Amino acid sequence: MCGIVGYIGHREAYPIILKGLQRLEYRGYDSAGVALYHDGKINVSKTKGKVDDLRKKVESSGNMEGHLGLGHTRWATHGVPNDTNSHPHYSNSGDLVIIHNGIIENYESIKKALIARGYVFHTDTDTEVLVNLIEEVRDKEEVKLGKAVQIALNQVVGAYAIAVFDKNKPDEIVVAKLGSPLAIGIGENEYFVASDASPFIEYTNNAVYLEDEEMAIIRLGKEIKLRKIKDDAIAYPNILELQLNLEEIEKGGYEHFMLKEIYEQPRAILDTYRGRLLADKGLVKMAGIDQNLEKFLNANRIIIVACGTSWHAGLVAEYIFEDLARIPVEVEYASEFRYRNPVITENDVLIAISQSGETADTLAAIKLAKEKGAFVFGVCNVVGSSIARETHAGAYTHAGPEIGVASTKAFTTQITVLTLLALKLASEKGIFSASQFHEILAELENIPGKVEEALKSNNLVAHIADIYKDSTNCLYLGRGYNFPVALEGALKLKEISYIHAEGYPAAEMKHGPIALIDEQMPVVVIATKKGHYEKVVSNIQEINS
Ligand code: BG6
């Protein structure tokens, strides 16, 4: 996830873009940049760090003038967060500038082809590939920018919200969307472009939200032209009158960031397996594993280290790895592991899981395992974080920034990555037949839709919360995969509601904790159809009686 802002009109663009980026910083905060058109030149400033670091850089350069500009706040997906990889990116000729939120999955093959045709790349990003592809189309086909963007986008696979301009046509911005949000604010002879309406809400209430596979040509003094990217059909802008205030917009209309992040799960899971889960080909593709397959396949065991919610994801992974890939797994609290002189050998693989990639105990556990010669693999959300740098290899979750302190979408995306990893190893070991494998992959593709369905139970959840809000204790029970889920549920209740809660394997209830059960004790049981359902129902009967 990243934040994008653009402006074209009669005002100075820089103050609008800067304020817009500050408001969009929740969408990405590892680097930021701005491109301003002034006097026939494009001045680009970009930096690793926060929007405020960008402000200092731009203000010390003195390049703040211009009535046309693009800005970006980044959450890295391709290439570490540094000044060079920050957006905006420009084409080889320096004519075109682009900002992009999303992932171009087939950028490597396009990049190779462009290099063969003489293009040079200065960054590790997929976005620089896209802007050069647009330039190549523009020059080869001798078409206008809008057409070039359309032709180029028909060659890419992935997700995007982009804004591009050409310094030879400084009265125009071209935008397009697939999978990432893009809003256009319509003012009096001025236009705004942004990931949400927060950067322009004080200038105009009139906005158009692009639909997937739509693009728009925004030209000063003209009405917006909307087109379908695939078939060039004309689309008609649905201009909305926004009623939201600024705070509501930043949180996407949700009361809290945590709630927003819970609702982001279908998108976050999809982004995490995008380009990796190729169900139609019966393949799982993950660069970090493909290059280190032997390490995993020859491992004596896998040791998973993590803290908090990430540790719970590790427990789920233990079941998945053993079940699908038949590799023995141990799961350790990083804080215990690092202090207890563990037995680690060169034939062990250590997987470190961390949303932030900065948790000190997890980092220390990694260093210890490396000293003892183990191969260390990271599963992190923050690109370029300490854990991502310290591990030998890894796979990112693409959950986007998690602002809520209590982890939510990080958990489900960690499980997504770990499931893909287990499946990859299972397929290498030939554990499943091609058709079984295919069936599992196809089923996995349905997960975002199922999460979406589950989220529809919100009203029921609110009703139940109302009944139990004054409880002082609560038990969460589950068996198999659902035992770690019970632990995670209990952790969330403790941290967010200040209600004491415990997670337990459902069958362990009878060995002591059942003594605590009375009319005052709510018990949440996770009883999915495939999670030893009949046995869990017997546990429920015990509790009832
Ligand atoms: C805790 C958070 O402080 O850190 C948890 O409250 C989180 O939600 C834990 O799971 C570990 O963090 P990370 O970034 O290593 O996954």
Side-chain angles (χ1 to χ4, degrees), residues 306-311 353-359 362 387 402 404-408 410 414 488 491-492 495:
C307 299
T309 294
S310 299
W311 183 74
I353 311 173
S354 172
Q355 186 284 126
S356 60
E358 301 296 343
T359 302
T362 311
I387 292 178
E402 198 175 58
V405 172
S407 201
T408 54
Q414 285 164 349
E488 176 59 10
L491 178 66
K492 289 289 93 97
E495 198 169 2

Side-chain angles (χ1 to χ4, degrees), residues 14 35 66 79 93 97 149 165 195 200 220 237-238 252 278 282 312 330 347 397 404 427 431 491-492 503 515 525 528:
Y14 174 65
S93 71
V97 189
V149 167
F165 74 80
S195 300
F200 56 76
L220 264 191
N238 178 17
L278 309 173
H312 294 152
E330 285 169 29
N347 294 327
T397 52
S427 102
I431 289 175
L491 178 66
K492 289 289 93 97
V525 186
T528 54

Side-chain angles (χ1 to χ4, degrees), residues 82-396:
N82 61 23
D83 293 3
T84 323
N85 287 335
S86 310
H87 298 217
H89 291 288
Y90 31 92
S91 60
N92 273 196
S93 71
D95 283 356
L96 307 189
V97 189
I98 192 169
I99 45 175
H100 169 214
N101 165 30
I103 301 170
I104 305 298
E105 289 168 25
N106 59 341
Y107 81 103
E108 273 175 344
S109 57
I110 298 175
K111 188 172 182 174
K112 261 190 213 148
L114 286 171
I115 290 172
R117 297 197 287 270
Y119 276 82
V120 179
F121 290 89
H122 309 281
T123 78
D124 307 319
T125 64
D126 48 345
T127 307
E128 193 190 12
V129 174
L130 179 58
V131 72
N132 280 305
L133 179 65
I134 296 170
E135 175 160 290
E136 188 187 53
V137 173
R138 182 198 65 167
D139 296 347
K140 251 192 181 164
E141 313 273 329
E142 297 182 5
V143 288
K144 290 184 182 164
L145 179 63
K147 195 71 197 165
V149 167
Q150 185 183 19
I151 296 171
L153 289 179
N154 275 304
Q155 295 175 32
V156 307
V157 179
Y160 49 78
I162 57 163
V164 200
F165 74 80
D166 181 339
K167 80 169 184 213
N168 304 308
K169 269 204 109 299
D171 63 341
E172 180 183 274
I173 300 178
V174 176
V175 296
K177 163 187 159 51
L178 175 62
S180 304
L182 199 143
I184 304 169
I186 305 167
E188 285 282 319
N189 204 26
E190 62 181 347
Y191 288 107
F192 307 80
V193 174
S195 300
D196 65 36
S198 62
F200 56 76
I201 195 70
E202 66 258 56
Y203 303 102
T204 178
N205 283 333
N206 296 327
V208 174
Y209 287 86
L210 284 199
E211 298 291 333
D212 273 349
E213 300 193 333
E214 276 183 3
M215 58 178 291
I217 295 162
I218 301 168
R219 194 170 300 155
L220 264 191
K222 299 263 163 72
E223 288 196 349
I224 300 173
K225 270 209 243 162
L226 237 64
R227 291 196 175 281
K228 296 280 176 201
I229 296 168
K230 280 234 164 89
D231 59 9
D232 204 35
I234 292 177
Y236 294 95
N238 178 17
I239 302 175
L240 303 173
E241 203 184 319
L242 302 178
Q243 307 290 350
L244 294 170
N245 67 35
L246 194 58
E247 211 198 13
E248 281 170 331
I249 291 170
E250 280 175 343
K251 293 190 186 131
Y254 293 100
E255 222 178 314
H256 310 282
F257 277 115
M258 184 177 166
L259 193 56
K260 174 168 178 274
E261 287 157 9
I262 288 171
Y263 274 87
E264 277 169 0
Q265 286 177 102
R267 162 67 45 210
I269 294 169
L270 188 65
D271 281 347
T272 299
Y273 70 54
R274 196 187 287 286
R276 294 167 163 169
L277 172 68
L278 309 173
D280 50 339
K281 297 193 180 119
L283 274 180
V284 173
K285 241 178 76 183
M286 292 172 96
I289 315 243
D290 294 339
Q291 291 149 13
N292 297 288
L293 259 178
E294 294 307 312
K295 297 270 183 211
F296 280 96
L297 295 175
N298 298 329
N300 279 347
R301 60 178 177 164
I302 292 175
I303 307 167
I304 296 180
V305 291
C307 299
T309 294
S310 299
W311 183 74
H312 294 152
L315 286 180
V316 178
E318 177 182 18
Y319 285 79
I320 299 175
F321 272 102
E322 296 195 347
D323 186 14
L324 300 181
R326 310 300 299 144
I327 302 176
V329 178
E330 285 169 29
V331 188
E332 306 272 357
Y333 281 118
S335 53
E336 288 296 314
F337 181 80
R338 63 177 286 201
Y339 289 116
R340 70 162 168 73
N341 194 17
V343 178
I344 311 170
T345 71
E346 287 172 3
N347 294 327
D348 290 327
V349 167
L350 184 123
I351 300 181
I353 311 173
S354 172
Q355 186 284 126
S356 60
E358 301 296 343
T359 302
D361 284 325
T362 311
L363 203 50
I366 291 169
K367 289 183 179 154
L368 178 67
K370 276 172 76 180
E371 272 164 32
K372 308 232 177 196
F375 174 73
V376 182
F377 188 87
V379 176
C380 295
N381 192 36
V382 179
V383 174
S385 55
S386 304
I387 292 178
R389 293 197 310 272
E390 194 61 46
T391 42
H392 293 118
Y396 287 113

